[in-house]
Structures are given as structure tokens and as C-alpha cells.
Amino acid sequence: MPIQYYIILAAALFCIGVTGVLIRRNAIIIFMCIELMLNSVNLLLVAFSKMHYAISSANNKGTQAVITTGTDAQLFVFFIMVVAAAEVSVGLAIIVMMYRNVHSTDVNFLNRLKN
């Protein structure tokens, strides 16, 4: 599959995530949109890693060079997802505490808590 398809898909997912963050007011939906943006970047990271592996293996066909199989980016994506899961668990705990005190998950309502 050409890399352009991955780029178009990741750009569409990222744009949907940005639109959701800018338009929506519900904190849970904003967190979901942030996760969508993070996953689109992860998709690009893996796609570019596979493309780099394909190019480097094509260039080194005659040599006995040891090349990794393109799993480096997949390892980075795994760690990014672990950190994102920890971030979401802390964020959801904050949202639950906000809901218990305010009985709303509206982000604009947080501005009223400053006063």
C-alpha cells in the first residue's frame, strides 16, 4: 500500500481530533479527540518506519548489512500508548472529581470555578 494512503488517513484523523477539541465542550469527548490525534501520529510513525525499512532493505540487497525489521517505531508507539493511557486515567479521575463537585463535565464551567 502506498504511503500516501496512510498520510491521508492520519491527516483526516488528526483534523477530526482538532475539530473535536476546538468545538466540543464535554471534557470526556475532548479527551477522546486528543487520543484520536495521538493515534493518528502513531499511525504515521509506524508507516514511515515501514517505508524507511523498505527503502533501506532495497538499497542493501547485495550487502550483508544487518537491518532491523522496522519494529523500532512500533516499540515507540507502544510506549506512547502506555503514557497516553496513564494520562487518560489521571484525566478521567480529575473529570470524575469535577463531576462529583459540580455535577457537570462542561469545560466552560471550569472558568466559573476561578471566582
Side-chain angles (χ1 to χ4, degrees), residues 9-79:
L9 177 64
L13 289 174
F14 194 83
C15 289
I16 290 170
V18 168
T19 304
V21 167
L22 294 177
I23 290 176
R24 303 298 288 206
R25 294 182 181 175
N26 191 346
I28 296 173
I29 294 177
I30 290 174
F31 271 124
M32 288 174 45
C33 290
I34 290 172
E35 286 296 317
L36 188 64
M37 291 189 299
L38 216 90
N39 285 331
S40 70
V41 172
N42 286 341
L43 175 68
L44 276 181
L45 184 62
V46 171
F48 282 128
S49 172
K50 288 295 184 182
M51 181 187 72
H52 176 69
Y53 169 70
I55 290 172
S56 63
S57 64
N59 289 339
N60 295 328
K61 253 186 188 172
T63 64
Q64 294 294 328
V66 176
I67 302 172
T68 61
T69 60
T71 58
D72 296 337
Q74 292 175 6
L75 185 64
F76 283 130
V77 165
F78 176 73
F79 285 118

Side-chain angles (χ1 to χ4, degrees), residues 1-12 43-44 47-48 51:
M1 226 162 84
I3 192 74
Q4 291 85 8
Y5 294 152
Y6 291 111
I7 294 172
I8 291 169
L9 177 64
L43 175 68
L44 276 181
F48 282 128
M51 181 187 72

